[in-house]
Amino acid sequence: MPFGEQPAYLRVAGDLRRKIADGTLPPRTRLPSQARIRAEYGVSDTVALEARKVLMAEGLVEGRSGSGTYVRERPVPRRVIRTGYRPAGEVGPFRQEQADERVSGTWESHSDQEEAGPAIAERLRIKEGERVMRTRYLFRVDGEPSMLSTSWEPLAITGRTPVMLPEEGPLGGRGVVERMAAIDIVVDNVVEEVGARPGLAEEMLVLGGVPGHTVLVIERTYRAGGRPVETADVIVPADRHRAVYHLPVR
């Protein structure tokens, strides 16, 4: 194949993608059948099948059991605004993760103790197997699942204190900075690393979507004097969200 020339299945997928983008194939429309693609583009069954697989992998179409393949609705991405620290006071978990004051939502959470695995131990700079408090959150916007978050805090820091459970006690739900301040730990730095990966089946089951579709993963770590005091994974479907950072200029 000459340099720069696309395989036939990508050319077919590209033309179908264009039709989806310009509205020739609007949402909820059935994608042309494999036989129709073969006839219209003069390609083999294998090429037609591979072209359809490309569109499905890109999240542009979805299969419906016993019905066929249809063009998906393209959601208008919501902005997930990140600003670093949150002000002290009555600030709930939803506002701590989504700083856009125009967006409101609800959340549910559950905390358990566990032993730190290798990855979390490295992020918290503790020994593998040390006890941590893991808290899982599900956030909803307009009643629809929007974001998952899992946080880990070393029990060597918070154990046997009033802030051991992030969402219970006198400072439950007040955020890492304020809770740590209550036990004389001053958080002075927060780092967020943003990456992408295929969504796990259990994640997409909760968030709504197809396993394997891309999710954004925001790895956040709060530090006090260089010591990590909390780390978390914030997960949002990439086709429904954009991470927006408001950074101060000093």
Side-chain angles (χ1 to χ4, degrees):
M1 180 185 300
F3 178 76
E5 182 178 333
Q6 285 187 321
Y9 76 96
L10 288 182
R11 294 198 300 271
V12 173
D15 190 64
L16 291 170
R17 187 189 301 115
R18 176 187 58 78
K19 291 179 179 179
I20 292 172
D22 67 17
T24 303
L25 290 171
R28 299 184 297 278
T29 298
R30 187 172 180 176
L31 193 72
S33 67
Q34 188 169 315
R36 184 175 170 187
I37 292 175
R38 180 189 63 206
E40 182 176 343
Y41 292 95
V43 296
S44 66
D45 279 333
T46 299
V47 169
L49 177 61
E50 290 301 314
R52 289 160 62 90
K53 286 182 178 179
V54 168
L55 298 179
M56 190 167 291
E58 292 175 349
L60 297 175
V61 300
E62 60 185 355
R64 299 179 186 173
S65 180
S67 179
T69 304
Y70 291 80
V71 178
R72 292 183 66 210
E73 291 275 4
R74 300 300 292 169
V76 177
R78 289 192 176 108
R79 300 194 306 166
V80 178
I81 295 182
R82 318 292 293 175
T83 62
Y85 299 142
R86 306 291 179 263
E90 296 293 335
V91 181
F94 183 86
R95 186 59 58 225
Q96 293 161 27
E97 297 295 356
Q98 166 59 284
D100 191 342
E101 298 290 344
R102 297 166 297 179
V103 178
S104 61
T106 60
W107 69 92
E108 53 196 74
S109 65
H110 181 74
S111 296
D112 286 299
Q113 295 187 33
E114 67 177 19
E115 295 182 353
I120 297 305
E122 182 177 1
R123 285 163 60 174
L124 290 173
R125 298 181 189 169
I126 61 177
K127 293 180 180 179
E128 183 179 347
E130 284 194 31
R131 303 292 292 177
V132 295
M133 184 65 71
R134 180 193 65 197
T135 303
R136 291 174 170 166
Y137 297 85
L138 169 62
F139 299 94
R140 301 177 189 272
V141 176
D142 297 329
E144 295 295 324
S146 175
M147 178 191 304
L148 293 173
S149 177
T150 304
S151 72
W152 296 267
E153 296 179 352
L155 285 170
I157 295 175
T158 61
R160 301 181 183 275
T161 74
V163 301
M164 183 174 73
L165 292 168
E167 301 305 320
E168 297 181 25
L171 290 178
R174 300 290 283 270
V176 175
V177 176
E178 189 171 355
R179 289 174 48 249
M180 293 297 166
I183 55 174
D184 298 322
I185 294 175
V186 179
V187 173
D188 54 18
N189 181 260
V190 58
V191 175
E192 293 195 344
E193 297 184 14
V194 183
R197 61 165 171 78
L200 304 179
E202 52 268 33
E203 293 167 345
M204 304 313 288
L205 179 64
V206 175
L207 291 171
V210 178
H213 283 183
T214 304
V215 295
L216 296 178
V217 181
I218 302 170
E219 292 187 4
R220 180 193 65 217
T221 302
Y222 283 101
R223 297 190 177 102
R227 181 186 185 183
V229 297
E230 188 256 21
T231 193
D233 286 343
V234 181
I235 298 170
V236 293
D239 63 341
R240 286 184 257 154
H241 298 84
R242 297 290 182 270
V244 180
Y245 284 81
H246 290 181
L247 305 176
V249 177
R250 301 190 185 281

